[in-house]
Amino acid sequence: MGQDAFMEPLSSTSGIFQWKIYLLLLAVDCSGLKVMVPSQTVHGIRGQALYLPVHYGFHTPASDIQIIWLFERPHTMPKYLLGSVNESVVPDLEYQHKFTMMPPNASLLINPLQFTDEGNYIVKVNIQGNGTLSSSQKIQVTVDVTKEDIGNYSCLVKNPVSEMESNIIMPTIYYGPYGLQVNSDKGLKVGEVFTVDLGEAILFDCSADSYPPNTYSWIRRTDNTTYVIKHGPHLEVASEKVAQKTTDYVCCAYNNITGRRDETHFTVIITSTGLEKLAQKGKSLSPLASITGISLFLIISMCLLFLWKKYQPYKAMKQKLEGRPETEYRRAQTFSGHEDALDDFGIYEFVAFPDASAVPRMPSRSIPASDGVSGQDLHSTIYEVIQHIPAQQQAHPE
């Protein structure tokens, strides 16, 4: 009827009346107050903080802005929690440490959230300007149980005279998902970025604490588009089959009993840094390998030299004697070896010079030479005299 009346000629009385009402509604819509909340139902976790976001807007000059928060439960009257005028907050003294508001922001913070906080929260905004505009919204808060709430429960009823407790029950607790995270068997993880070497296949695992178990889905973002690529807790990515070097993924977890949903975002970067690191590691080890090889060579050489000297003493002694000057032997004294027999035991060196008349020699037994040389070479023989005490003989009279 209103629409038909609006379409009648403006000269008619009813048409003018309907037009005025339409213009009045347009004016209220353009200059009125709007209070908006993202969701009419908000889930919270017991023991944690819960934030109730509220947005409001108006198009008229305002001298004062008043915000009021009320709390109500079924079959009870709303209870005042806190309020503000402009930027001055007036809390209820009973809840001044539990509820927080930062005006002119109308959002409410509940910290910590308990089971007794379940109910409806009403926010009312009043604007004082040319007139008074008011608007309100209601938010239903539910407190979800967690894994820690699993246990035995009973109900205790008391009165001034007696008390009675019910039988103990163990309810089934449905919770989650909480603590959603993505891990991998390979690659380097820094925050929400995974670095994978080119040519490797990496396996991602998505997990969250939940009962009943979550259902998982994997989403890939490419060129501002998203599409589901797989369902389940595991996702395998072959780096050589990925067209882009950088790809964004999303893992979603959903509990069909609690109705809760959570998701986590991460980025996969395909690079050849792993091969470069391996080459750098080989370069860093080459000096150490060189030092180790040189050390082993020196040790083996010293061992071989020691063995050579140990098992070829005569050749070494010969080289030592050949290096001595001839005058050193000419100055040497000649001993008969019979002055003191106890001092004569040891190793002796007998050297023969080419010029036999230059050095006087004592006649002795024939000495076989160990090495015979011609010309100006020296002839030497090494003897070891050991102690041997023969049996004393009877002296013969002359």
Side-chain angles (χ1 to χ4, degrees):
M1 177 179 179
Q3 183 179 3
D4 295 337
F6 177 70
M7 296 179 64
E8 290 179 358
L10 297 179
S11 58
S12 62
T13 304
S14 59
I16 294 175
F17 180 72
Q18 294 289 344
W19 177 253
K20 290 182 178 179
I21 293 176
Y22 180 75
L23 292 178
L24 181 61
L25 292 175
L26 287 177
V28 171
D29 182 72
C30 294
S31 62
L33 173 66
K34 288 185 177 180
V35 178
M36 297 162 289
V37 294
S39 177
Q40 298 292 333
T41 302
V42 178
H43 295 270
I45 301 174
R46 182 177 64 88
Q48 299 184 9
L50 180 64
Y51 185 71
L52 304 180
V54 176
H55 307 281
Y56 64 91
F58 52 90
H59 302 281
T60 59
S63 58
D64 296 310
I65 301 176
Q66 183 184 37
I67 303 172
I68 300 174
W69 277 96
L70 305 174
F71 174 69
E72 70 172 359
R73 290 178 179 172
H75 312 294
T76 60
M77 294 294 295
K79 183 185 297 185
Y80 176 83
L81 299 179
L82 78 167
S84 68
V85 177
N86 297 329
E87 295 185 1
S88 178
V89 179
V90 182
D92 189 305
L93 296 180
E94 183 180 357
Y95 309 109
Q96 59 180 340
H97 301 296
K98 187 177 183 64
F99 301 98
T100 305
M101 182 175 59
M102 302 291 292
N105 191 338
S107 301
L108 181 67
L109 177 65
I110 308 174
N111 189 21
L113 186 67
Q114 302 296 337
F115 286 125
T116 55
D117 298 326
E118 281 190 333
N120 296 323
Y121 288 79
I122 303 171
V123 56
K124 183 179 181 182
V125 180
N126 299 323
I127 303 297
Q128 182 68 42
N130 297 331
T132 302
L133 300 177
S134 298
S135 182
S136 62
Q137 282 286 355
K138 181 183 292 187
I139 304 174
Q140 183 182 7
V141 173
T142 60
V143 181
D144 296 337
V145 293
T146 62
K147 186 177 181 179
E148 288 73 19
D149 297 318
I150 298 176
N152 298 326
Y153 291 85
S154 62
C155 178
L156 179 63
V157 180
K158 294 182 179 180
N159 61 25
V161 179
S162 62
E163 65 180 33
M164 180 176 293
E165 185 176 3
S166 66
N167 296 328
I168 297 176
I169 62 172
M170 185 176 181
T172 301
I173 304 297
Y174 301 104
Y175 59 90
Y178 302 119
L180 181 63
Q181 60 181 353
V182 174
N183 295 309
S184 65
D185 61 339
K186 297 179 183 178
L188 176 64
K189 179 180 180 182
V190 179
E192 297 179 353
V193 178
F194 292 86
T195 302
V196 186
D197 295 338
L198 183 63
E200 284 189 342
I202 183 171
L203 181 65
F204 293 101
D205 177 74
C206 190
S207 61
D209 194 8
S210 175
Y211 182 79
N214 300 304
T215 57
Y216 298 94
S217 58
W218 299 86
I219 300 175
R220 181 164 60 194
R221 292 182 176 181
T222 305
D223 298 330
N224 296 326
T225 59
T226 59
Y227 52 94
V228 179
I229 57 177
K230 188 180 179 182
H231 294 280
H234 305 293
L235 173 67
E236 185 176 8
V237 176
S239 58
E240 66 273 6
K241 295 182 180 180
V242 179
Q244 296 182 345
K245 298 299 181 182
T246 301
T247 310
D248 296 328
Y249 293 89
V250 181
C251 175
C252 301
Y254 176 72
N255 188 323
N256 58 353
I257 299 297
T258 63
R260 292 180 60 89
R261 182 180 181 273
D262 196 7
E263 63 182 30
T264 181
H265 301 252
F266 63 97
T267 303
V268 177
I269 300 178
I270 301 174
T271 179
S272 58
T273 55
L275 299 177
E276 295 176 358
K277 290 181 179 179
L278 184 61
Q280 293 177 0
K281 184 177 180 181
K283 292 180 180 179
S284 63
L285 289 178
S286 56
L288 180 61
S290 302
I291 295 173
T292 304
I294 294 173
S295 301
L296 290 175
F297 174 76
L298 293 176
I299 293 173
I300 294 173
S301 300
M302 293 176 65
C303 293
L304 292 176
L305 181 61
F306 174 77
L307 294 174
W308 182 79
K309 288 184 176 181
K310 180 178 180 181
Y311 292 103
Q312 294 187 3
Y314 300 106
K315 188 175 181 180
M317 185 63 69
K318 177 183 177 182
Q319 293 177 355
K320 181 178 179 181
L321 293 175
E322 290 176 353
R324 293 182 180 180
E326 183 178 347
T327 56
E328 184 177 348
Y329 291 96
R330 296 178 183 273
R331 294 194 302 268
Q333 283 186 332
T334 303
F335 298 94
S336 63
H338 298 284
E339 284 80 2
D340 189 357
L342 295 178
D343 296 333
D344 293 338
F345 301 112
I347 298 176
Y348 291 83
E349 300 176 6
F350 297 89
V351 182
F353 293 93
D355 189 2
S357 62
V359 179
R361 300 187 182 183
M362 296 297 294
S364 61
R365 295 170 297 178
S366 62
I367 302 173
S370 61
D371 293 319
V373 294
S374 62
Q376 298 296 325
D377 292 340
L378 300 177
H379 298 273
S380 62
T381 306
I382 300 175
Y383 292 92
E384 181 179 3
V385 180
I386 62 174
Q387 183 178 6
H388 176 69
I389 302 176
Q392 295 183 355
Q393 299 177 356
Q394 297 292 333
H396 298 282
E398 293 181 356

